[in-house]
Amino acid sequence: MAGVTKPKVGRVAPLELVEWALSGRIRIPRFQRSYRWEASDSERLFDSILRGYPIGNLLMWRKPAPAAEITLGELRFDAPERSDALWVVDGQQRLTTLIGALTASEDTVDRRFRIFYDLREKDARKRFLSAPHSQNVRDHWLPVWVAGDNRRLIAWQRERPWLTDEEYDLCDSVATAIRTYEIPMYEIEGDDEQALREIFDRMNTFGKTLKRAEIFQALHSAPLDVQPSDLDALRDRVGALDFGDFSPQLLMQSVMATRGGQVDRDFRQEFKDDEDRQQAFARTEKALRLVVDWLRSEAGIPHLRLLPYALYVPVLTRYAALFGHPTGRGSELLRRWVWRGAAVGAAPQGNTVALRRNASAVHDDPVASATRMLDLLPIGGELWKPDLTQTALNRTQAKINVLGLLSARPVLLAQATDSDGNHYPTGTRLSDSRLLVDMLNSGSSPLQPLVAGRTMAAKVLHPANKTGFGFFSERWDPAVLRSHCMDERCVELLDTHTTESTDEFLARRADIMTTVISDHVQRMALFGFSDGPEAEALFDDNLWGDSTDAA
């Protein structure tokens, strides 16, 4: 069929999209960029739905689709061949968020799909919130996946007889909004790519749109009738977590780690059959999602490029596959292992030996496993100090330096724009934007020159700015300066512009940086603290005998 039909304009409800997705009708081409939204975008989307605000249109291309394995958010299932499939041309981020959040559960890992409505928040603008898998969910937080299912909502309410009339009304408002909200949808049939391009150009979309070249290249060349290898598929799926690009070698080691035995054994003869292989990759993907969530939320590591040692990934993947999301004492000891290993060296006998020994230490009990891993580390971390001469992110000490600077929560000193076109004003905390992830994804350094010099003291953690870095002045309040390891005296020395003042500035800032980085590493590594089980866990209820026997 030549050309395209006149777009068919209709409306679709969020729950109808979920139904289509689960039936295999909705297909998302393998775009170069995957799911890009942040948790705050997901919160804002559901807030708009509750308020009845427009969230933009969906542009769908109706054409046949082969039987295929479908991935939408954390959903993964086998879809049958469809003659009436709807391929998403524009609206991928909104659609993935809606389906991912409305089909989520307590076991969902990705924070962007763990969306709740706080029934007791007084500020209506802040009632929708996201929570990482590691966070305890408050009993008055209504999950949107519960609100979207009337039967589950009634059961959820019955389990909370203390709900007030006002809270019941709020539950009904959220549920009604999800059931009745309508999203405009344009449905097109045909094969004229140029016409589709023009339609796409003229549409005003909500959120972070994909570049046209990414969309149409995918639509033209990737009909999804050829499945990638399992390792490639795993790489794509964990890449969607926006934690960086996992190498095939790292993923292969992670798969091996989840299956036990020697991690670096021959990969080619590993699986008994296709089912065995599929189960192994599915288990590894689930564990990797838990690992990424834990590294971000508990270990304070926002991106793979800042992970001190690559061997942490397969070892932690084995831990998560055996014990689930690290919690309690086990999580505390794992954090110490990551940070102590970063400071003193997690691989004193070499990466291969360290990977094998640490992975072998993970078995039978989460706390005992973490304790054994700690015992494999060299001693002497109490005397560790940061090396500010290390600034290249291919060095572990440079990664520690950057992570230490991030602990000061640096703010933007000039407005910046991320890769999706979002603008951030001066004063925005770097951690509240995706700018750091953009810089790390691109392979560029997040460190920008402040003055002449090769040490960390001569650099600032900040996106590149075309106007230069002559923007420190008396107008900055002390909190802004502290976020970049500076004080008022540093600004005075910068403004003097002499060799002597620059040397004094570098020395003064180096002292501040050293303190900030050292304190952060100690908070995370807890050198000198007792490891192993908590003291109370060493005693059981009958240690002193049963009082009834004594009677």
Side-chain angles (χ1 to χ4, degrees), residues 224-250:
L224 282 181
D225 53 353
V226 178
Q227 292 297 311
S229 72
D230 285 327
L231 202 59
D232 285 342
L234 181 61
R235 190 177 188 180
D236 285 345
R237 288 173 182 130
V238 297
L241 300 175
D242 225 4
F243 192 71
D245 186 19
F246 290 77
S247 70
Q249 173 75 3
L250 199 57

Side-chain angles (χ1 to χ4, degrees), residues 62-349:
R62 179 169 177 164
K63 66 173 184 174
E69 185 179 65
I70 301 298
T71 299
L72 281 169
E74 291 196 9
L75 276 180
R76 188 172 68 189
F77 57 93
D78 291 324
E81 181 179 356
R82 297 286 305 232
S83 61
D84 60 346
L86 295 174
W87 296 76
V88 183
V89 178
D90 188 43
Q92 177 200 7
Q93 306 295 312
R94 282 159 286 151
L95 189 145
T96 301
T97 300
L98 284 170
I99 295 171
L102 292 174
T103 59
S105 70
E106 291 78 5
D107 296 327
T108 296
V109 175
D110 196 322
R111 178 174 183 165
R112 296 170 293 183
F113 306 128
R114 294 174 53 83
I115 307 300
F116 302 86
Y117 185 81
D118 188 344
L119 297 173
R120 295 184 178 175
E121 172 60 53
K122 299 304 181 184
D123 188 344
R125 297 169 298 179
K126 299 179 180 179
R127 286 178 179 162
F128 279 103
L129 61 114
S130 60
H133 188 273
S134 57
Q135 182 177 347
N136 290 328
V137 174
R138 305 291 295 274
D139 216 25
H140 56 274
W141 291 358
L142 172 65
V144 298
W145 61 87
V146 169
D149 184 317
N150 192 51
R151 186 174 300 177
R152 294 179 68 185
L153 176 60
I154 292 173
W156 188 87
Q157 291 172 327
R158 284 176 178 167
E159 293 172 357
R160 293 160 178 77
W162 40 261
L163 287 172
T164 66
D165 289 343
E166 180 183 359
E167 289 166 349
Y168 268 106
D169 290 342
L170 289 173
C171 289
D172 290 343
S173 296
V174 174
T176 300
I178 291 173
R179 287 196 297 266
T180 62
Y181 188 87
E182 293 184 327
I183 307 167
M185 186 180 81
Y186 292 82
E187 183 180 323
I188 301 169
E189 287 187 82
D191 56 5
D192 187 339
E193 185 176 306
Q194 183 57 41
L196 279 169
R197 187 191 302 272
E198 185 174 352
I199 293 169
F200 177 82
D201 277 341
R202 297 185 182 189
M203 291 186 68
N204 295 315
T205 56
F206 172 91
K208 301 178 176 68
T209 59
L210 292 160
K211 291 182 173 61
R212 288 176 292 161
E214 296 169 337
I215 294 173
F216 288 99
Q217 179 181 0
L219 290 174
H220 180 71
S221 61
L224 282 181
D225 53 353
V226 178
Q227 292 297 311
S229 72
D230 285 327
L231 202 59
D232 285 342
L234 181 61
R235 190 177 188 180
D236 285 345
R237 288 173 182 130
V238 297
L241 300 175
D242 225 4
F243 192 71
D245 186 19
F246 290 77
S247 70
Q249 173 75 3
L250 199 57
L251 294 175
M252 180 182 68
Q253 291 171 344
S254 298
V255 174
M256 295 295 97
T258 64
R259 293 171 66 82
Q262 188 169 308
V263 178
D264 56 338
R265 62 189 181 274
D266 186 358
F267 182 77
R268 292 168 294 180
Q269 305 298 322
E270 178 66 23
F271 304 109
K272 296 182 296 184
D273 50 36
D274 287 344
E275 182 179 0
D276 183 31
R277 183 174 61 252
Q278 291 168 3
Q279 291 177 350
F281 278 87
R283 188 181 183 205
T284 304
E285 180 191 352
K286 181 178 179 180
L288 280 168
R289 288 179 178 274
L290 296 174
V291 169
V292 169
D293 181 71
W294 182 84
L295 285 171
R296 280 175 170 150
S297 61
E298 302 300 323
I301 299 174
H303 196 278
L304 197 60
R305 280 188 68 200
L306 297 181
L307 188 68
Y309 285 94
L311 68 87
Y312 289 164
V313 171
V315 175
L316 290 170
T317 302
R318 173 164 175 75
Y319 187 101
L322 287 177
F323 309 122
H325 197 289
T327 59
R329 185 65 170 175
S331 176
E332 163 68 25
L333 296 178
L334 282 183
R335 193 194 70 220
R336 297 183 192 183
W337 172 71
V338 166
W339 280 89
R340 290 184 194 177
V344 303
Q349 304 89 9

Side-chain angles (χ1 to χ4, degrees), residues 476-516:
W476 293 110
D477 63 46
V480 171
L481 296 176
R482 282 197 302 272
S483 80
H484 287 283
C485 299
M486 297 176 63
D487 58 15
E488 290 86 345
R489 177 58 180 162
C490 288
V491 175
E492 293 173 3
L493 293 168
L494 274 180
D495 288 342
T496 305
H497 300 297
T498 67
T499 301
E500 293 76 11
S501 66
T502 298
D503 291 342
E504 185 180 345
F505 164 81
L506 290 173
R508 186 178 187 87
R509 190 162 185 246
D511 287 342
I512 299 173
M513 276 187 169
T514 297
T515 299
V516 168

